[in-house]
Amino acid sequence: LMSKASGIVPTGTVVAVIEQRHSRDAVGVLRPMSEIPKGSSLPRGHRFCRLQPLDSRVPWVMIPSSDCPDDFKASPADNAYELFACHIDAWDEQGRFPRGHI
């Protein structure tokens, strides 16, 4: 390596990514997009739910409601602390959050 005394800072350019490191998998808590009273089911027009990952470095993941488990759809509040695993499928350039499936 270079000596700190020389004042030269090593630089470089990335020419290719050989291996993708992030597995695109996340584990977290599934939440409806809006507040739902305890004991109520997920409304029919609810298109997405969000997975709040345990790892704070991973953003919320949008999960289609059709992909959510039936017991979650029946009573989201009763499953508030159940952990779910998801896979991130895509992240649109204009999208704020990635989309995934359970």
Side-chain angles (χ1 to χ4, degrees), residues 9-101:
V9 179
T11 59
T13 304
V14 176
V15 292
V17 177
I18 297 171
E19 180 181 340
Q20 181 179 354
R21 289 302 229 175
H22 193 276
S23 66
R24 300 184 78 136
D25 292 328
V27 174
V29 181
L30 200 55
R31 303 269 190 236
M33 290 301 293
S34 58
E35 241 355 92
I36 295 177
K38 188 171 175 87
S40 298
S41 63
L42 202 61
R44 286 192 180 268
H46 218 82
R47 292 181 41 217
F48 288 95
C49 291
R50 64 179 188 230
L51 182 104
Q52 184 177 1
L54 296 177
D55 185 347
S56 62
R57 297 172 297 174
V58 179
W60 289 347
V61 182
M62 307 305 289
I63 305 291
S65 295
S66 59
D67 199 32
C68 295
D70 291 334
D71 58 335
F72 176 80
K73 289 188 240 181
S75 182
D78 291 343
N79 294 284
Y81 300 102
E82 189 170 339
L83 295 178
F84 294 91
C86 82
H87 180 77
I88 298 172
D89 297 322
W91 195 339
D92 297 332
E93 287 183 30
Q94 303 300 324
R96 186 170 175 196
F97 302 111
R99 293 187 183 208
H101 69 275

